[in-house]
Amino acid sequence: NFVLRNCIFVQGEGSSIDIGKGNGNDISVGGLEIGDKILIGGRYNCPGFIVRSYGYMGASFGLMGWDDHKFASKPFMISAKFGGGFECQFVKGCAFVTEFGGVQRFLVGGGKTNISNFPNHAPCLTIGYRTFR
């Protein structure tokens, strides 16, 4: 069966980034993203559960914060995401999700930032839970 779905998501993020000023000079960054994905793939009905495999593309808007940067201030983060995943549905309306792909990030809105080595692109592994109608 062919599947085309829309998936609105809220995602938390955290990492440690080298700010490029010498050894051991890392900062901890936390963020919250809100975005949308288009899922294109297939569906296989098994006895007692459903498995979906799909490719996805999406975009999100994010707020970030670190030691000397307030969470809801500029710059903001815009992300473009792409990849593929699997979804296993054991209960009606709920599924376990594993996705692997890539993300391209952009800092927008100006503002002062001390991250000179901000990772603009990176591989992305997502493990989570999804609900739907």
Side-chain angles (χ1 to χ4, degrees):
N1 297 329
F2 177 74
V3 176
L4 175 63
R5 291 189 301 161
N6 185 41
C7 175
I8 297 170
F9 64 90
V10 176
Q11 174 176 310
E13 237 180 76
S15 64
S16 180
I17 299 174
D18 180 7
I19 60 175
K21 296 182 179 177
N23 286 336
N25 201 1
D26 296 347
I27 60 171
S28 295
V29 177
L32 178 68
E33 291 183 73
I34 299 171
D36 194 15
K37 286 182 189 176
I38 301 295
L39 309 174
I40 302 168
R43 169 182 163 158
Y44 185 72
N45 294 333
C46 302
F49 65 99
I50 298 170
V51 175
R52 294 178 184 90
S53 61
Y54 57 87
Y56 68 87
M57 59 185 163
S60 65
F61 173 80
L63 303 172
M64 301 182 311
W66 57 87
D67 294 341
D68 60 349
H69 181 264
K70 291 184 180 180
F71 183 68
S73 61
K74 296 177 184 178
F76 303 113
M77 183 173 58
I78 302 291
S79 299
K81 300 172 185 285
F82 54 91
F86 291 95
E87 182 177 278
C88 296
Q89 179 183 348
F90 294 96
V91 178
K92 185 177 180 180
C94 303
F96 178 77
V97 179
T98 302
E99 296 177 344
F100 184 76
V103 59
Q104 178 71 40
R105 296 182 176 113
F106 306 94
L107 294 177
V108 297
K112 188 175 180 180
T113 177
N114 65 353
I115 300 180
S116 59
N117 291 340
F118 181 76
N120 291 335
H121 52 277
C124 183
L125 173 66
T126 303
I127 299 171
Y129 172 79
R130 182 176 289 152
T131 63
F132 49 91
R133 293 183 213 180

